PDB file of all heavy atoms in Angstrom:
ATOM      1  N   PHE U 149      90.117  94.132  98.874  1.00 96.00           N
ATOM      2  CA  PHE U 149      91.194  93.154  98.946  1.00 96.00           C
ATOM      3  C   PHE U 149      91.474  92.765 100.405  1.00 96.00           C
ATOM      4  O   PHE U 149      92.402  93.238 101.022  1.00 96.00           O
ATOM      5  CB  PHE U 149      92.460  93.751  98.343  1.00 96.00           C
ATOM      6  CG  PHE U 149      92.408  93.963  96.863  1.00 96.00           C
ATOM      7  CD1 PHE U 149      93.505  94.487  96.169  1.00 96.00           C
ATOM      8  CD2 PHE U 149      91.321  93.581  96.105  1.00 96.00           C
ATOM      9  CE1 PHE U 149      93.490  94.678  94.811  1.00 96.00           C
ATOM     10  CE2 PHE U 149      91.251  93.764  94.741  1.00 96.00           C
ATOM     11  CZ  PHE U 149      92.339  94.313  94.068  1.00 96.00           C
ATOM     12  N   THR U 153      87.817  87.974 101.223  1.00 96.00           N
ATOM     13  CA  THR U 153      87.425  87.853  99.807  1.00 96.00           C
ATOM     14  C   THR U 153      88.456  87.067  99.012  1.00 96.00           C
ATOM     15  O   THR U 153      88.279  86.912  97.788  1.00 96.00           O
ATOM     16  CB  THR U 153      87.226  89.236  99.182  1.00 96.00           C
ATOM     17  OG1 THR U 153      88.431  89.965  99.313  1.00 96.00           O
ATOM     18  CG2 THR U 153      86.082  89.975  99.827  1.00 96.00           C
ATOM     19  N   PHE U 154      89.519  86.642  99.629  1.00 98.00           N
ATOM     20  CA  PHE U 154      90.546  85.892  98.895  1.00 98.00           C
ATOM     21  C   PHE U 154      90.216  84.430  98.859  1.00 98.00           C
ATOM     22  O   PHE U 154      90.044  83.810  99.930  1.00 98.00           O
ATOM     23  CB  PHE U 154      91.919  86.107  99.552  1.00 98.00           C
ATOM     24  CG  PHE U 154      93.077  85.621  98.728  1.00 98.00           C
ATOM     25  CD1 PHE U 154      93.559  86.382  97.652  1.00 98.00           C
ATOM     26  CD2 PHE U 154      93.634  84.388  98.942  1.00 98.00           C
ATOM     27  CE1 PHE U 154      94.631  85.922  96.879  1.00 98.00           C
ATOM     28  CE2 PHE U 154      94.683  83.924  98.160  1.00 98.00           C
ATOM     29  CZ  PHE U 154      95.168  84.709  97.135  1.00 98.00           C
ATOM     30  N   VAL U 155      90.068  83.855  97.715  1.00 98.00           N
ATOM     31  CA  VAL U 155      89.723  82.446  97.590  1.00 98.00           C
ATOM     32  C   VAL U 155      90.955  81.604  97.566  1.00 98.00           C
ATOM     33  O   VAL U 155      91.870  81.813  96.744  1.00 98.00           O
ATOM     34  CB  VAL U 155      88.868  82.207  96.344  1.00 98.00           C
ATOM     35  CG1 VAL U 155      88.479  80.761  96.229  1.00 98.00           C
ATOM     36  CG2 VAL U 155      87.621  83.116  96.339  1.00 98.00           C
ATOM     37  N   ASN U 160      97.580  78.893  95.365  1.00 97.00           N
ATOM     38  CA  ASN U 160      97.959  80.028  96.193  1.00 97.00           C
ATOM     39  C   ASN U 160      97.938  79.710  97.701  1.00 97.00           C
ATOM     40  O   ASN U 160      98.070  80.590  98.488  1.00 97.00           O
ATOM     41  CB  ASN U 160      97.018  81.222  95.912  1.00 97.00           C
ATOM     42  CG  ASN U 160      95.574  80.885  96.192  1.00 97.00           C
ATOM     43  OD1 ASN U 160      95.246  80.064  97.014  1.00 97.00           O
ATOM     44  ND2 ASN U 160      94.688  81.567  95.494  1.00 97.00           N
ATOM     45  N   GLY U 189      98.064  89.396  87.725  1.00 94.00           N
ATOM     46  CA  GLY U 189      96.643  89.095  87.966  1.00 94.00           C
ATOM     47  C   GLY U 189      96.375  87.885  88.806  1.00 94.00           C
ATOM     48  O   GLY U 189      95.238  87.355  88.776  1.00 94.00           O
ATOM     49  N   LEU U 190      97.354  87.411  89.556  1.00 96.00           N
ATOM     50  CA  LEU U 190      97.146  86.183  90.329  1.00 96.00           C
ATOM     51  C   LEU U 190      96.897  86.462  91.805  1.00 96.00           C
ATOM     52  O   LEU U 190      96.758  85.496  92.608  1.00 96.00           O
ATOM     53  CB  LEU U 190      98.335  85.226  90.138  1.00 96.00           C
ATOM     54  CG  LEU U 190      98.544  84.750  88.719  1.00 96.00           C
ATOM     55  CD1 LEU U 190      99.730  83.794  88.657  1.00 96.00           C
ATOM     56  CD2 LEU U 190      97.303  84.022  88.191  1.00 96.00           C
ATOM     57  N   GLY U 191      96.895  87.714  92.212  1.00 97.00           N
ATOM     58  CA  GLY U 191      96.495  87.983  93.598  1.00 97.00           C
ATOM     59  C   GLY U 191      97.563  88.492  94.527  1.00 97.00           C
ATOM     60  O   GLY U 191      97.402  88.505  95.738  1.00 97.00           O
ATOM     61  N   LYS U 192      98.723  88.908  93.976  1.00 98.00           N
ATOM     62  CA  LYS U 192      99.794  89.423  94.840  1.00 98.00           C
ATOM     63  C   LYS U 192      99.375  90.671  95.589  1.00 98.00           C
ATOM     64  O   LYS U 192      99.479  90.767  96.810  1.00 98.00           O
ATOM     65  CB  LYS U 192     101.073  89.728  94.005  1.00 98.00           C
ATOM     66  CG  LYS U 192     101.615  88.547  93.275  1.00 98.00           C
ATOM     67  CD  LYS U 192     102.888  88.919  92.525  1.00 98.00           C
ATOM     68  CE  LYS U 192     102.660  89.944  91.394  1.00 98.00           C
ATOM     69  NZ  LYS U 192     101.840  89.454  90.304  1.00 98.00           N
ATOM     70  N   THR U 193      98.846  91.617  94.827  1.00 97.00           N
ATOM     71  CA  THR U 193      98.423  92.901  95.451  1.00 97.00           C
ATOM     72  C   THR U 193      97.273  92.623  96.433  1.00 97.00           C
ATOM     73  O   THR U 193      97.259  93.188  97.532  1.00 97.00           O
ATOM     74  CB  THR U 193      97.993  93.884  94.361  1.00 97.00           C
ATOM     75  OG1 THR U 193      99.149  94.122  93.556  1.00 97.00           O
ATOM     76  CG2 THR U 193      97.533  95.183  94.957  1.00 97.00           C
ATOM     77  N   HIS U 194      96.343  91.783  96.026  1.00 97.00           N
ATOM     78  CA  HIS U 194      95.235  91.434  96.918  1.00 97.00           C
ATOM     79  C   HIS U 194      95.772  90.908  98.243  1.00 97.00           C
ATOM     80  O   HIS U 194      95.340  91.378  99.312  1.00 97.00           O
ATOM     81  CB  HIS U 194      94.370  90.418  96.224  1.00 97.00           C
ATOM     82  CG  HIS U 194      93.076  90.113  96.922  1.00 97.00           C
ATOM     83  ND1 HIS U 194      91.905  89.942  96.260  1.00 97.00           N
ATOM     84  CD2 HIS U 194      92.779  89.945  98.216  1.00 97.00           C
ATOM     85  CE1 HIS U 194      90.929  89.682  97.156  1.00 97.00           C
ATOM     86  NE2 HIS U 194      91.466  89.684  98.343  1.00 97.00           N
ATOM     87  N   LYS U 323      82.621  85.061  93.828  1.00 95.00           N
ATOM     88  CA  LYS U 323      82.317  86.429  93.349  1.00 95.00           C
ATOM     89  C   LYS U 323      80.860  86.566  92.950  1.00 95.00           C
ATOM     90  O   LYS U 323      80.249  87.612  93.143  1.00 95.00           O
ATOM     91  CB  LYS U 323      83.209  86.812  92.188  1.00 95.00           C
ATOM     92  CG  LYS U 323      84.695  86.684  92.590  1.00 95.00           C
ATOM     93  CD  LYS U 323      85.560  87.827  92.194  1.00 95.00           C
ATOM     94  CE  LYS U 323      86.965  87.585  92.675  1.00 95.00           C
ATOM     95  NZ  LYS U 323      87.669  88.651  93.294  1.00 95.00           N
ATOM     96  N   VAL U 347      93.250  85.796  87.185  1.00 95.00           N
ATOM     97  CA  VAL U 347      92.031  86.075  87.909  1.00 95.00           C
ATOM     98  C   VAL U 347      91.422  87.415  87.489  1.00 95.00           C
ATOM     99  O   VAL U 347      90.229  87.569  87.445  1.00 95.00           O
ATOM    100  CB  VAL U 347      92.274  86.060  89.444  1.00 95.00           C
ATOM    101  CG1 VAL U 347      90.969  86.245  90.205  1.00 95.00           C
ATOM    102  CG2 VAL U 347      92.930  84.758  89.865  1.00 95.00           C
ATOM    103  N   ARG U 348      92.291  88.333  87.171  1.00 92.00           N
ATOM    104  CA  ARG U 348      91.753  89.667  86.808  1.00 92.00           C
ATOM    105  C   ARG U 348      90.858  89.533  85.574  1.00 92.00           C
ATOM    106  O   ARG U 348      89.753  90.125  85.519  1.00 92.00           O
ATOM    107  CB  ARG U 348      92.933  90.599  86.485  1.00 92.00           C
ATOM    108  CG  ARG U 348      92.452  92.030  86.294  1.00 92.00           C
ATOM    109  CD  ARG U 348      93.587  92.988  86.232  1.00 92.00           C
ATOM    110  NE  ARG U 348      94.356  93.056  87.461  1.00 92.00           N
ATOM    111  CZ  ARG U 348      95.647  93.017  87.549  1.00 92.00           C
ATOM    112  NH1 ARG U 348      96.363  92.915  86.465  1.00 92.00           N
ATOM    113  NH2 ARG U 348      96.248  93.053  88.705  1.00 92.00           N
ATOM    114  N   GLU U 351      87.598  87.787  86.470  1.00 94.00           N
ATOM    115  CA  GLU U 351      86.758  88.714  87.199  1.00 94.00           C
ATOM    116  C   GLU U 351      86.100  89.705  86.253  1.00 94.00           C
ATOM    117  O   GLU U 351      84.894  89.982  86.351  1.00 94.00           O
ATOM    118  CB  GLU U 351      87.664  89.463  88.172  1.00 94.00           C
ATOM    119  CG  GLU U 351      87.002  89.865  89.430  1.00 94.00           C
ATOM    120  CD  GLU U 351      88.020  90.545  90.348  1.00 94.00           C
ATOM    121  OE1 GLU U 351      89.041  91.036  89.918  1.00 94.00           O
ATOM    122  OE2 GLU U 351      87.784  90.467  91.574  1.00 94.00           O
TER     123      GLU U 351
HETATM  124  P1  LIG F   1      98.514  90.854  90.930  1.00 54.85           P
HETATM  125  O1  LIG F   1      98.896  91.900  91.927  1.00 54.85           O
HETATM  126  O2  LIG F   1      99.157  89.537  91.208  1.00 54.85           O
HETATM  127  O3  LIG F   1      98.753  91.269  89.536  1.00 54.85           O
HETATM  128  P2  LIG F   1      95.854  91.312  91.913  1.00 54.85           P
HETATM  129  O4  LIG F   1      96.072  91.068  93.366  1.00 54.85           O
HETATM  130  O5  LIG F   1      95.721  92.690  91.482  1.00 54.85           O
HETATM  131  O6  LIG F   1      96.970  90.575  91.054  1.00 54.85           O
HETATM  132  O7  LIG F   1      94.577  90.466  91.480  1.00 54.85           O
HETATM  133  C1  LIG F   1      93.849  90.753  90.284  1.00 54.85           C
HETATM  134  C2  LIG F   1      92.365  90.627  90.585  1.00 54.85           C
HETATM  135  O8  LIG F   1      92.014  89.295  90.846  1.00 54.85           O
HETATM  136  C3  LIG F   1      91.933  91.419  91.826  1.00 54.85           C
HETATM  137  O9  LIG F   1      90.687  91.978  91.609  1.00 54.85           O
HETATM  138  C4  LIG F   1      91.857  90.343  92.906  1.00 54.85           C
HETATM  139  O10 LIG F   1      90.888  90.678  93.882  1.00 54.85           O
HETATM  140  C5  LIG F   1      91.470  89.133  92.116  1.00 54.85           C
HETATM  141  N1  LIG F   1      91.999  87.904  92.727  1.00 54.85           N
HETATM  142  C6  LIG F   1      93.202  87.332  92.506  1.00 54.85           C
HETATM  143  N2  LIG F   1      93.352  86.206  93.175  1.00 54.85           N
HETATM  144  C7  LIG F   1      92.213  86.048  93.869  1.00 54.85           C
HETATM  145  C8  LIG F   1      91.729  85.027  94.775  1.00 54.85           C
HETATM  146  N3  LIG F   1      92.475  83.991  95.086  1.00 54.85           N
HETATM  147  N4  LIG F   1      90.490  85.212  95.297  1.00 54.85           N
HETATM  148  C9  LIG F   1      89.744  86.262  94.971  1.00 54.85           C
HETATM  149  N5  LIG F   1      90.122  87.253  94.128  1.00 54.85           N
HETATM  150  C10 LIG F   1      91.330  87.123  93.566  1.00 54.85           C
END
Side-chain angles (χ1 to χ4, degrees):
F149 291 179
T153 57
F154 191 82
V155 180
N160 61 27
L190 297 181
K192 300 182 295 295
T193 298
H194 188 139
K323 303 226 178 224
V347 184
R348 189 171 296 134
E351 211 174 24

